[in-house]
Amino acid sequence: MEQTNKKARFDLNEDKSLKSILSKLGPLLGLLILCVVLTFASDQFFTFKNIMNIANQSAINSLISVGMLLTIITAGIDLSVGSMLALSICVMGVAITKWNMSPMLALPLCLSVGAFLGFLNGIMLTKLKLPHPFISTLAMKNVARGLALIVTAASPISGFSKSVQFLGSEKIGAIPVSFILVLVVFVVFHIFLTRTAQGRYIYAVGGNQEAAKLSGVNVHRTLILVYTICGFMAALCGIVLVGRVNAAFPLAGLDYDADAIAACIIGGASFMGGSGTVWGTLIGAMIMAVLRNGLNLLSVPADIQTVAIGLVIIGAVYVDVLRTQAQKKAKIAPVTNTNNATSANA
């Protein structure tokens, strides 16, 4: 009987390990399969020029997604990232073109505006005790978008200098500077989340806010930090966007919140909080970029592309639901097995 129990426990642990590996490698496997399919579907896909094009296209979503990841890890969400991006770059555009501010001062101003807007999101969530970040960030989405329209008189601002455009337009060799920036940012965020106490606090708040509070974690300060970083990353993403199109316009980033959420969920983060990695999020953003690039190469109409992206988002959320259910069952199973083993020994 004892040998049977040992064998059962061994098989259970082996199964858990296999599921864990498949769960972690699932997004990467999906990206590889998508690349293989598109390689056979279009002879233009698997070329160095197109790969660099995908890297450049994925940069904006990658940067805004890593900020969104922090909010999702805390079981929250930020619907205002696109609007914060728009207001940040519009303030920068006005500062440069109308206030004659130096780009070396206007760029930090842009980042400061984004961080401040994110800080306000955190304050509304914690100090005003709004019931869910959906409410506070939805309000900020409308406020920031309206202010962007007011600041620019609903007109785009263009004609920026090379120093402002650098992150979005330049290359080092054949590699876009924007993608190099993505890699640097993701390494920094990986270290922050996995090697610092504050990073562990973020996971703890998302896993169980009450337990984190009882363990001595300052939950309010952690949430404020998370939303401040999210706003900062939205502004940084805006600088890359300005460099790419050489314009700051109040309607920038309209769908960026949905794309960022999709990248995080596809990459393995959960709406339930407490899980998610920066590298999974990068893979999720790459999947979104590869899918859009492949559909363009196959001359799929824009309206059909929108439907396809919507279906991908639905699929990603459904996978998250299945993953959450499987985790709940896995937590219950060991308790049941322990009770059965105790009964058998008795």
Side-chain angles (χ1 to χ4, degrees):
M1 178 66 72
E2 188 175 344
Q3 290 179 347
T4 304
N5 288 336
K6 286 183 179 180
K7 184 177 180 181
R9 285 196 294 270
F10 176 79
D11 291 342
L12 181 63
N13 292 333
E14 185 178 26
D15 184 52
K16 280 185 178 179
S17 177
L18 180 61
K19 286 182 179 179
S20 176
I21 292 173
L22 290 176
S23 177
K24 291 178 180 178
L25 295 182
L28 179 59
L29 183 60
L31 176 61
L32 293 176
I33 292 173
L34 182 59
C35 289
V36 169
V37 171
L38 290 174
T39 299
F40 284 102
S42 172
D43 56 0
Q44 300 177 28
F45 177 79
F46 199 67
T47 62
F48 182 77
K49 181 179 179 180
N50 191 54
I51 297 301
M52 289 299 99
N53 185 34
I54 292 172
N56 190 36
Q57 290 173 352
S58 69
I60 287 178
N61 192 23
S62 297
L63 290 172
I64 210 163
S65 295
V66 75
M68 182 69 76
L69 173 66
L70 299 189
T71 69
I72 291 178
I73 289 175
T74 60
I77 198 170
D78 193 337
L79 300 178
S80 65
V81 286
S83 297
M84 291 192 296
L85 176 153
L87 181 55
S88 300
I89 62 175
C90 286
V91 170
M92 179 185 71
V94 169
I96 292 174
T97 59
K98 295 186 178 180
W99 303 343
N100 296 319
M101 184 179 286
S102 165
M104 293 301 101
L105 294 176
L107 290 171
L109 174 64
C110 176
L111 297 174
S112 299
V113 170
F116 179 68
L117 294 173
F119 173 78
L120 291 180
N121 275 336
I123 290 295
M124 286 190 288
L125 177 63
T126 57
K127 303 305 181 183
L128 298 185
K129 297 182 179 179
L130 297 183
H132 193 274
F134 179 91
I135 305 297
S136 55
T137 60
L138 181 61
M140 180 60 73
K141 177 178 183 176
N142 289 280
V143 171
R145 184 71 65 186
L147 289 174
L149 290 165
I150 292 171
V151 165
T152 61
S155 300
I157 301 171
S158 58
F160 292 98
S161 64
K162 289 288 185 181
S163 58
V164 176
Q165 297 181 56
F166 177 77
L167 290 178
S169 63
E170 296 300 317
K171 295 181 179 180
I172 296 179
I175 303 175
V177 170
S178 59
F179 191 69
I180 295 175
L181 174 66
V182 167
L183 296 179
V184 172
V185 166
F186 272 68
V187 168
V188 171
F189 270 78
H190 173 73
I191 294 171
F192 171 66
L193 285 174
T194 61
R195 297 289 186 270
T196 68
Q198 190 60 60
R200 291 190 289 272
Y201 294 163
I202 291 172
Y203 280 104
V205 169
N208 190 320
Q209 195 170 120
E210 287 302 318
K213 188 181 296 184
L214 292 173
S215 300
V217 176
N218 190 323
V219 174
H220 284 188
R221 186 173 64 187
T222 300
L223 289 173
I224 290 172
L225 175 65
V226 162
Y227 284 91
T228 301
I229 293 174
C230 188
F232 178 89
M233 291 308 303
L236 180 60
C237 175
I239 293 174
V240 174
L241 178 64
V242 168
R244 184 172 299 177
V245 301
N246 192 22
F249 49 101
L251 296 182
L254 279 176
D255 298 323
Y256 286 5
D257 50 354
D259 284 356
I261 293 168
C264 294
I265 301 303
I266 291 171
S270 172
F271 278 126
M272 300 299 105
S275 65
T277 65
V278 294
W279 301 118
T281 299
L282 178 60
I283 292 172
M286 292 298 296
I287 288 175
M288 299 285 289
V290 167
L291 181 61
R292 282 203 169 95
N293 178 268
L295 293 175
N296 284 328
L297 290 177
L298 296 174
S299 300
V300 176
D303 50 355
I304 302 299
Q305 290 189 31
T306 304
V307 172
I309 297 297
L311 292 175
V312 168
I313 294 173
I314 292 172
V317 174
Y318 181 62
V319 168
D320 176 42
V321 171
L322 294 179
R323 185 167 55 231
T324 303
Q325 291 175 347
Q327 289 172 351
K328 288 181 179 179
K329 289 180 180 178
K331 290 178 181 179
I332 295 172
V335 177
T336 305
N337 290 334
T338 302
N339 291 337
N340 290 339
T342 303
S343 301
N345 291 332

